[in-house]
Amino acid sequence: MELTEAIYGRRATRAYSEAPVPKDVIESLIDAAIQAPSAINEQPWDFAIVQDRQLLDKISTMAKAHMIETMPSGSFPEHLHESLESPSFHIFYHAPALITISAREGAWAIENATLAAENLMLAAHEKGLGSCWIGFAQRWLETPEGKQALGIPDDFVPVAPIIIGYSATPIASVPRRPPHLRWIG
Ligand SMILES: Cc1cc2nc3c(=O)[nH]c(=O)nc-3n(C[C@H](O)[C@H](O)[C@H](O)COP(=O)(O)O)c2cc1C
């Protein structure tokens, strides 16, 4: 697949088939992820892979409760509050796999993990897989309990929880607004 096709074709996927993602495919996505640049070439990544449905359900439940408890009112659009309050809403959309990218704490932890995340999502698209970054999971995963659930080392920060799986339905693209552009000088 051409890079341009991957960049323009990747879409946040929120409906998944039951089909599991083979281990070697997950490993190939992580191999693509670690081709990302990292500050001072530190390569400070940690990847936690969860395929256990019960654990995914538990994380979804804990993360929703944590968000409701901790987020200031008015910080999110009303429909997101409604989703979080709904018992049937699963933050991982019942995807078969969650890959959480963490990075060693430091000045560029977020950048290091995020660049790896985009590589991973583009590589997933090339392999016919859907993906979605799940920000709803982040705040709980950052807690001691969340880090422990994924075995994230103490000196690492979880940044990018990404669900992966085969899409159950074709996905329409989300239009982009024109970029803010200023040509200086
Ligand atoms: C930091 C971040 C957090 C996100 N969190 C969620 C989330 O919790 N749930 C969700 O369904 N999508 C989440 N998304 C996906 C965005 O909603 C999605 O990328 C955006 O609507 C644009 O759609 P596209 O990815 O198909 O282009 C997140 C994306 C990013 C970058």
Side-chain angles (χ1 to χ4, degrees):
M1 180 182 282
E2 290 293 325
L3 177 62
T4 304
E5 199 183 334
I7 289 173
Y8 284 80
R10 179 213 55 80
R11 295 273 69 94
T13 300
R14 300 187 177 91
Y16 291 89
S17 81
E18 294 273 315
V21 185
K23 186 168 181 252
D24 63 319
V25 174
I26 290 182
E27 285 170 348
S28 74
L29 300 183
I30 292 170
D31 194 57
I34 65 169
Q35 305 312 310
S38 61
I40 339 172
N41 191 27
E42 200 192 346
Q43 305 181 33
W45 300 292
D46 173 272
F47 298 86
I49 302 117
V50 181
Q51 295 174 287
D52 179 321
R53 295 263 178 200
Q54 280 184 343
L55 181 54
L56 291 170
D57 293 348
K58 181 190 154 190
I59 298 172
S60 174
T61 304
M62 301 298 282
K64 282 165 66 181
H66 184 75
M67 287 289 282
I68 291 166
E69 210 177 288
T70 59
M71 68 187 179
S73 65
S75 57
F76 283 100
E78 187 51 34
H79 75 275
L80 292 182
H81 278 273
E82 282 167 18
S83 294
L84 288 170
E85 303 271 3
S86 163
S88 64
F89 177 66
H90 197 288
I91 65 165
F92 301 132
Y93 307 102
H94 304 285
L98 169 71
I99 303 175
T100 299
I101 308 177
S102 303
R104 191 174 293 109
E105 279 170 3
W108 295 289
I110 307 295
E111 291 84 347
N112 290 331
T114 303
L115 286 162
E118 177 71 344
N119 269 17
L120 189 143
M121 291 190 284
L122 291 175
H125 178 64
E126 188 196 30
K127 294 191 181 303
L129 288 156
S131 68
C132 189
W133 180 314
I134 303 298
F136 273 159
Q138 280 176 255
R139 300 292 85 86
W140 183 74
L141 288 174
E142 289 163 356
T143 67
E145 194 186 359
K147 286 180 75 170
Q148 193 183 29
L150 297 189
I152 296 168
D154 282 347
D155 57 338
F156 277 65
V157 50
V159 176
I162 297 175
I163 49 172
I164 296 285
Y166 296 95
S167 182
T169 51
I171 299 162
S173 71
V174 177
R176 292 320 197 232
R177 290 186 291 276
H180 290 198
L181 262 186
R182 274 179 316 286
W183 299 88
I184 313 295

